[in-house]
Amino acid sequence: EIMAAVETMIEKNVKHGEVRVIFTTDEEIGNGVDGLDVQELGCDYGYTVDGGPLGEIEFENFNAASAVLTVHGVGVHPGSAKDAMINASNVAMEFHMALPAMARPETTEGYQGFYHLCQMYGDVTEAKLGYILRDHDIGKLQFKKDNLLHIACYLNCKYGPGTVEVEIKDSYRNMLEKIKPHFHLVETARKAITKAGLTPEEIPVRGGTDGAVLSWKGLPCPNLGTGGFNFHGVCECTTVERMDKATEILLNIVELYSK
């Protein structure tokens, strides 16, 4: 979609100002633009084209963090394990069950955040759980992080110091605060989508985008839908017609900013 727009700009001599194109990787963990110097890039603002329904404008996203729980158990022959064994896998399950079942991706929507267990493995002596934490409200995300630490503290009091360790890392933040002072980006996207014969839709994205990181680095950058379906699954797909429309929206934005 992006390169089709660039190709059209060149072939049809579309009126435009200076346009710069960047491709990034590792967006899901917030590292996609770690190596990008926005000052060197020299752009005033931009858009990411990263998932979402056609005609969607996203300028609110989750605040995001990741957490890794490591449980250190005590291995003892099961025949003589009473009051001696600490089964790391059982403690890991106890940790997970202490989290609210109604705060998982499959039980939440809209502005509701979640704890998402992404991976788990272990045995008697060591177990690990990997989580991602998400919430549009930074205070509620902090509560989730604190809750993990509180549960770990409880289990360490129960099974002994050092049994449970939690490592938490921040990934990206909600871009809304950084987009508000540059709301012309949203207004221009609305015009571009309407010009393409579609109805703009603005919803809080239940995920992240490199645009969020870029916005906090000083380059305000909302996201535009690509027209795809079923992201992050084996049924992920799109259509050529929707891709053509997405390209048209990009060209409309370029033309609107050229005036």
Side-chain angles (χ1 to χ4, degrees), residues 20-251:
R20 298 190 177 187
V21 176
I22 298 169
F23 291 94
T24 64
T25 60
D26 289 335
E27 173 273 324
E28 288 306 316
I29 54 174
N31 298 144
V33 293
D34 281 357
L36 177 62
D37 185 335
V38 296
Q39 298 301 319
E40 182 181 356
L41 178 63
C43 293
D44 296 321
Y45 36 78
Y47 293 90
T48 51
V49 184
D50 174 28
L54 192 63
E56 189 169 275
I57 310 167
E58 298 168 344
F59 51 92
E60 293 183 76
N61 63 282
F62 274 142
N63 295 291
S66 61
V68 176
L69 169 81
T70 304
V71 182
H72 304 285
V74 176
V76 178
H77 189 285
S80 55
K82 183 172 174 59
D83 298 326
M85 176 187 287
I86 299 176
N87 189 320
S89 293
N90 284 337
V91 176
M93 288 189 288
E94 186 175 351
F95 180 95
H96 184 66
M97 293 308 295
L99 295 172
M102 297 308 295
R104 298 173 181 171
E106 62 268 33
T107 59
T108 55
E109 61 183 352
Y111 284 100
Q112 298 170 328
F114 55 73
Y115 307 82
H116 179 34
L117 177 61
C118 299
Q119 53 189 218
M120 59 185 296
Y121 55 91
D123 51 28
V124 173
T125 58
E126 184 176 274
K128 285 184 179 287
L129 302 179
Y131 291 91
I132 60 172
L133 314 177
R134 300 290 189 265
D135 210 294
H136 286 90
D137 185 305
I138 191 67
K140 291 180 179 179
L141 180 70
Q142 185 61 49
F143 174 83
K144 288 177 172 60
K145 293 190 285 187
D146 292 343
N147 194 31
L148 295 183
L149 297 175
H150 174 74
I151 297 169
C153 182
Y154 166 80
L155 292 173
N156 280 329
C157 290
K158 181 176 180 180
Y159 295 106
T163 301
V164 176
E165 298 175 348
V166 179
E167 181 183 5
I168 300 174
K169 294 182 179 180
D170 289 321
S171 303
Y172 48 80
R173 292 187 62 182
N174 191 342
M175 73 174 85
L176 178 61
E177 180 180 334
K178 300 299 181 180
I179 297 299
K180 281 183 176 179
H182 308 278
F183 213 69
H184 63 89
L185 289 162
V186 177
E187 293 167 345
T188 299
R190 289 171 180 164
K191 293 176 183 176
I193 292 167
T194 301
K195 187 178 179 181
L198 301 170
T199 301
E201 184 177 5
E202 300 160 22
I203 63 170
V205 58
R206 288 178 57 78
T209 166
D210 275 334
V213 180
L214 287 171
S215 294
W216 281 90
K217 292 180 76 169
L219 179 64
C221 199
N223 183 64
L224 302 172
T226 59
F229 304 89
N230 308 318
F231 294 105
H232 290 233
V234 295
C235 297
E236 182 172 329
C237 64
T238 188
T239 67
V240 173
E241 291 80 5
R242 284 172 173 261
M243 295 181 75
D244 286 343
K245 272 294 178 184
T247 298
E248 183 181 343
I249 291 169
L250 297 181
L251 290 169

